[in-house]
């Protein structure tokens, strides 16, 4: 480039913040010329976002002086070397998140978190060379903010962070798409992929929350429920599609989740948390529907507190996911949003409540902090004598969701004597006793058990010393022959070989009909009810005539049992009973988690935390899905050799990694994190390790079991906002009557490994030996034969 025509430093005005929480001061700064891959922009207008206010309020001397602002539109004044996609004079909008178009994340449809030019949230410098383009009157550097710094008449931005603005697009409307509105609309469109006619709940109706509602409206949502403490927000929200409104001050002693579950018949399909408050994130999670409910977190928790979720809740098929910039890929998606505005589909005008001149920029801060504005446009060239337009929408948000502490959620039969293994008290050995097994009632099947096996779930509940839970007949992995059937049973007949399954599959309810859920609501799962699901009574009585409790709808530690017809699956004639037995719970859970819940993609990287039966079954499912690498994590070094049979390619023993964490090791092994992490033990700390080990952009963490101490799972919102998600998997997402026959066929076709899970076999009278083996860590599955 000819030095005479090369860009020169520019002196201009900027609103500089010298200390956290102090008013911005208009100062003269020098803006250096753009370097390679950089663009210098003359700002036309900018707007104030909550992110500006949040960081502005932090009293950290190391973070100042700084030029805030990241929502803006301007004209390209000059460009550095290698800039080809924009030219001098082009109108562009700035975007804090890069879109290089070349990195693996930009090329993937699953991620918008560019790794080619990474986001440095608090760096304060240009991303490529780590220096500032701003200096003050003394020559000292001034920090950038969110890669933009639009509270300056001129700024320098990396070319990966600018988007051309259509000629017909008003600059003040385009400005809104730089952050907040795109974040909200994108969260509904790109992250949650809200389905037509679905139910959406939006927690917090500020600019981002209203933009979520607008996105849900565009997606065709049937109901959009707004949650806010300001009653005026309902009228405002109607413009953006809000159909119902919940004010937490008006619901008495009930929790928000109770109200939303009542309004929606079980929970919203999608819940969006738009404030950044851990308690509200928990409320949103509890308000979403079991089976397929998604909770989307749109911002970092304002106090950097973790959000706690209950493993019982997430195992019901729920998902919690993070949304950075609404999943928007700036250069491809923002032009789509501009077109939708120009086509009068997308509402933008209503977000602008105030407009001021640059010299009155502190007024924008005052309005936002007082809760009186959605977006205030700051014009660079507006004369001081005409600084503020009349307010377009009257808002008083002074009682905001942030300042309110929400109430947490409050918490005569035929005589048929048969031998069974009865548990009289928690943790005590099982005793062989004679019981009476009543005939099957309507929709029930009485089964003569051929063989059963012991699962960790049996041991976990067996160990609980709760007198109300006993006497009980355990066992839920089994195969048997139909001995008799009740009225209305047509799909199985006397003499059929069947396996019982703890989870129902009625085929008629909304969940059974949906591809998104396996949590049957037609015959709901009562985990600890101890009775038959339809009439709430037991089919077992002991020698004294007292009822004996069922377990997980099966109770297979009895020569005969009664099971609801929705809980039985026919077994193929060629299928060995001891192999079919494994599909009743553990193996289906693991294989299904990789196949159905996570949908592991070919050549992907998988990490499995805990290589018991379920963990090894996850590895087997990932192998069948074509995973490229399967990393096993376990304290037992022998598990690596065992795991190789099921596709494990690498092994991490936490005892062998010194001071490093498991997540550090896995990130190093995989170049950033595994695509899928499965927690197969039921330990909160391990669930967190798994979450930290998954890849930003699209990493999924799948929780397969109840936390053994019923402790909550603690989630760092900074981590989840990187595009990660946590998915609960009850029985691996398996629909018993359709999916288990597929698994049986894959075994018979020599695709699926089963034989290697069976490490021991005992007779029924030696059932306590099976407990001893499992608790000592010496068995994967012990088959218990009734006739041995």
């Amino acid at each position: 480039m000819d030095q005479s025509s090369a860009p020169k430093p520019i002196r201009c005005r900027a609103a500089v913040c010298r200390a956290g929480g102090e008013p911005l001061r208009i100062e003269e700064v020098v803006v250096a010329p753009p370097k390679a891959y950089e663009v210098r922009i003359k700002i036309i207008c900018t707007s104030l976002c909550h992110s500006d206010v949040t960081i502005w309020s932090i009293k950290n001397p190391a973070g100042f002086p700084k030029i805030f602002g990241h929502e803006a539109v301007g004209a390209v004044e000059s460009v550095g070397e290698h800039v080809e996609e924009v030219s001098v004079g082009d109108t562009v909008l700035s975007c804090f998140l890069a879109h290089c178009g070349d990195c693996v994340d930009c090329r993937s449809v699953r991620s918008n978190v560019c790794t080619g030019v990474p986001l440095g949230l608090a760096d304060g410098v240009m991303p490529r060379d780590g220096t500032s383009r701003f200096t003050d009157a003394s020559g000292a550097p001034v920090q950038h903010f969110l890669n933009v710094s639009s509270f300056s008449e001129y700024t320098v931005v990396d070319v990966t962070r600018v988007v051309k603005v259509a000629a017909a697009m008003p600059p003040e409307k385009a400005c809104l798409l730089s952050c907040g509105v795109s974040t909200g609309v994108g969260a509904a469109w790109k992250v949650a992929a809200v389905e037509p006619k679905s139910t959406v709940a939006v927690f917090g109706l500020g600019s981002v929350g209203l933009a979520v509602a607008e996105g849900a409206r565009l997606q065709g949502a049937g109901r959009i429920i707004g949650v806010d403490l300001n009653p005026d927000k309902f009228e405002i929200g109607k413009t953006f599609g809000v159909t119902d409104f919940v004010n937490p001050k008006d619901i008495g002693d009930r929790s928000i989740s109770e109200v939303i579950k009542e309004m929606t018949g079980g929970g919203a399909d999608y819940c969006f948390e738009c404030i950044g408050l851990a308690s509200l994130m928990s409320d949103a999670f509890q308000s979403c529907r079991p089976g397929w409910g998604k909770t989307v977190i749109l911002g970092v928790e304002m106090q950097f507190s973790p959000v706690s979720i209950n493993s019982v809740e997430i195992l019901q098929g729920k998902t919690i996911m993070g949304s950075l910039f609404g999943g928007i890929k700036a250069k491809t998606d923002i032009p789509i949003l501009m077109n939708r505005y120009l086509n009068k589909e997308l509402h933008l005008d209503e977000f602008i409540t105030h407009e001021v001149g640059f010299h009155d920029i502190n007024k924008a801060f005052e309005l936002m902090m007082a809760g009186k504005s959605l977006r205030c446009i700051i014009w660079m060239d507006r004369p001081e004598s005409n600084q503020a337009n009349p307010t377009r929408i009257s808002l008083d948000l002074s009682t905001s969701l942030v300042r309110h502490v929400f109430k947490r959620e409050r918490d005569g039969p035929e005589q048929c004597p048969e031998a069974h293994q009865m548990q009289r008290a928690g943790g005590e050995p099982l005793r062989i006793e004679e019981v009476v097994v009543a005939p099957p009632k309507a929709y029930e099947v009485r089964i003569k058990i051929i063989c059963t096996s012991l699962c960790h779930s049996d041991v976990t509940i067996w160990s609980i010393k709760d007198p109300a839970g006993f006497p009980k007949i355990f066992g839920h992995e089994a195969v048997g022959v139909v001995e008799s059937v009740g009225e209305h049973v047509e799909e199985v007949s006397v003499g059929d070989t069947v396996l019982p399954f703890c989870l129902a599959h009625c085929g008629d309810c909304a969940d059974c009909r949906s591809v998104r859920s396996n949590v049957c609501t037609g015959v709901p799962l009562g985990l600890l009810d101890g009775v038959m699901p339809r009439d709430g009574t037991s089919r077992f009585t002991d020698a004294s005539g007292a009822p004996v409790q069922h377990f997980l709808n099966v109770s297979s530690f009895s020569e005969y049992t009664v099971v609801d017809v929705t809980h039985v699956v026919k077994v193929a004639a060629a299928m060995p009973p001891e192999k079919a037995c494994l599909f009743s719970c553990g193996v289906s859970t693991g294989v299904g988690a990789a196949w159905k819940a996570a949908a592991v993609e070919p050549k992907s990287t998988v990490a499995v935390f805990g290589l018991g039966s379920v963990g090894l079954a996850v590895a087997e499912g990932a192998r069948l899905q074509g995973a490229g690498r399967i990393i096993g994590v376990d304290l037992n070094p022998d598990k690596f050799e065992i795991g190789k049979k099921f596709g494990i390619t690498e092994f991490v023993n936490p005892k062998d990694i010194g001071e490093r964490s498991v997540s550090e090791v896995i990130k190093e092994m995989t170049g950033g994190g595994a695509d899928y992490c499965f927690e197969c033990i039921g330990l909160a700390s391990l669930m967190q390790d798994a979450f930290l080990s998954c890849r930003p952009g699209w990493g999924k963490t799948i929780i397969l079991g109840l936390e053994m101490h019923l402790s909550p799972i603690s989630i760092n919102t900074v981590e989840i906002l990187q595009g990660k998600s946590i998915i609960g998997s009850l029985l691996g997402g398996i629909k018993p009557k359709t999916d288990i026959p597929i698994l049986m066929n894959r075994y018979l076709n020599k695709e699926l490994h089963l034989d290697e899970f069976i490490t021991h076999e005992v007779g029924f009278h030696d059932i306590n030996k099976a407990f001893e083996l499992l608790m000592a860590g010496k068995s994967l599955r012990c088959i218990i034969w009734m006739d041995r």
Side-chain angles (χ1 to χ4, degrees), residues 120 170 295 518 766:
T295 300
N518 72 324
D766 207 22

Side-chain angles (χ1 to χ4, degrees), residues 507-680:
D508 296 322
C509 69
D511 291 74
C512 286
R513 292 197 308 270
S514 171
V515 297
R516 299 181 292 171
S517 174
N518 72 324
V519 185
C520 176
T521 47
V523 185
L525 174 63
L527 280 172
L528 302 176
D529 291 348
V531 291
M532 294 297 291
R534 295 182 193 262
D535 71 357
T537 64
S538 176
R539 298 296 171 267
F540 299 110
T541 51
D542 64 13
S544 71
V548 179
Q549 293 188 32
H550 294 246
F551 179 65
L552 286 182
N553 302 295
V554 177
S555 291
S556 58
F557 293 171
S558 171
E559 290 179 322
Y560 288 82
T561 190
V562 177
V563 179
D564 194 273
V565 69
T566 58
H567 290 264
V568 296
V569 178
K570 277 190 181 181
V571 174
M575 192 75 195
E578 72 277 17
K579 307 305 184 338
C581 173
L582 302 176
F583 287 128
S584 285
C585 181
V587 171
S588 290
T589 295
V591 173
W595 167 34
K596 306 283 287 187
V600 168
E601 294 191 359
K603 300 182 180 179
S604 59
T605 300
V606 171
V608 184
F609 289 72
L611 297 181
S613 293
V614 172
L616 291 169
V618 167
E620 176 67 3
R623 182 189 68 80
L624 289 170
Q625 289 290 108
R629 296 174 70 185
I630 305 174
I631 303 166
V633 181
D634 204 285
L635 289 165
N636 184 346
D638 296 337
K639 288 295 182 70
F640 189 22
E641 285 304 314
I642 298 168
K644 287 178 181 177
K645 301 173 184 177
F646 301 99
I648 298 285
T649 58
E650 292 146 279
F651 186 73
V652 175
N653 188 331
K655 293 188 292 187
D656 297 338
I657 60 177
E659 298 296 320
R660 293 184 301 167
S661 66
V662 174
S663 61
E664 287 173 329
V665 172
I666 289 180
K667 286 177 182 177
E668 182 181 298
M669 292 172 69
T670 59
D675 301 308
Y676 307 91
C677 290
F678 296 82
E679 200 283 336
C680 308

Side-chain angles (χ1 to χ4, degrees), residues 293-320:
K294 290 181 180 178
T295 300
V296 184
I297 307 298
L298 276 76
V300 175
E301 211 285 336
M302 61 181 62
Q303 305 298 329
F304 297 100
S305 300
V307 58
S308 294
I309 59 173
N310 186 321
S311 63
V312 175
E313 286 271 342
I314 201 162
L315 281 177
Q316 296 173 24
K318 296 185 178 185
T319 297
I320 184 166

Side-chain angles (χ1 to χ4, degrees), residues 142-161:
V142 179
Q143 294 188 31
H144 294 246
F145 178 65
L146 283 182
N147 304 292
V148 178
S149 290
S150 58
F151 293 171
S152 172
E153 289 180 316
Y154 288 83
T155 190
V156 177
V157 179
D158 195 272
V159 69
T160 58
R161 291 177 160 89

Side-chain angles (χ1 to χ4, degrees), residues 222-400:
R223 291 179 75 184
I224 303 172
I225 302 166
V227 180
D228 204 286
L229 287 162
N230 184 346
D232 295 338
K233 286 295 188 70
F234 189 23
E235 284 305 312
I236 299 165
K238 287 178 182 177
T239 304
F240 301 101
V242 174
T243 58
D244 304 79
F245 186 72
V246 175
N247 188 330
K249 294 188 293 188
D250 298 337
I251 60 177
D253 291 333
R254 293 183 299 167
S255 67
I256 298 171
S257 60
E258 287 174 327
V259 171
I260 289 180
K261 286 176 182 176
E262 182 181 299
M263 292 173 69
T264 58
D269 300 308
Y270 307 92
C271 290
F272 297 83
E273 200 282 339
C274 307
I275 297 294
L277 193 61
S279 61
L280 201 60
M281 294 174 188
S282 296
D283 281 329
F285 179 68
Q286 290 168 10
S287 300
C288 75
R289 187 195 191 283
W292 59 69
K294 290 181 180 178
T295 300
V296 184
I297 307 298
L298 276 76
V300 175
E301 211 285 336
M302 61 181 62
Q303 305 298 329
F304 297 100
S305 300
V307 58
S308 294
I309 59 173
N310 186 321
S311 63
V312 175
E313 286 271 342
I314 201 162
L315 281 177
Q316 296 173 24
K318 296 185 178 185
T319 297
I320 184 166
M321 58 206 310
S323 165
L324 185 62
F325 195 39
I328 291 290
K329 289 179 182 283
K331 293 180 187 290
T332 52
D333 294 330
I334 290 178
I336 293 171
L337 295 179
M338 286 192 277
N339 283 334
R340 297 201 77 173
Y341 171 75
L342 294 172
N343 291 333
K344 304 187 184 307
E345 300 170 29
L346 171 66
H347 296 154
L348 285 181
D349 300 17
E350 296 83 356
F351 285 100
I352 301 174
T353 56
H354 297 77
E355 300 181 51
V356 300
F358 187 43
H359 271 81
D360 207 23
I361 191 170
N362 287 304
K363 181 68 175 176
F365 278 74
E366 294 166 11
L367 289 164
M368 180 166 282
M369 289 188 295
K372 293 180 178 178
S373 73
L374 291 175
R375 277 297 184 267
C376 180
I377 300 296
I378 302 156
W379 292 93
M380 288 296 171
D381 59 358
R382 173 163 292 181
E384 293 182 52
S385 60
N386 183 27
Q387 289 176 348
N389 277 357
T391 302
R392 299 183 189 172
I393 301 175
S394 177
L395 297 177
D396 181 5
L397 316 184
S398 55
T399 52
S400 70

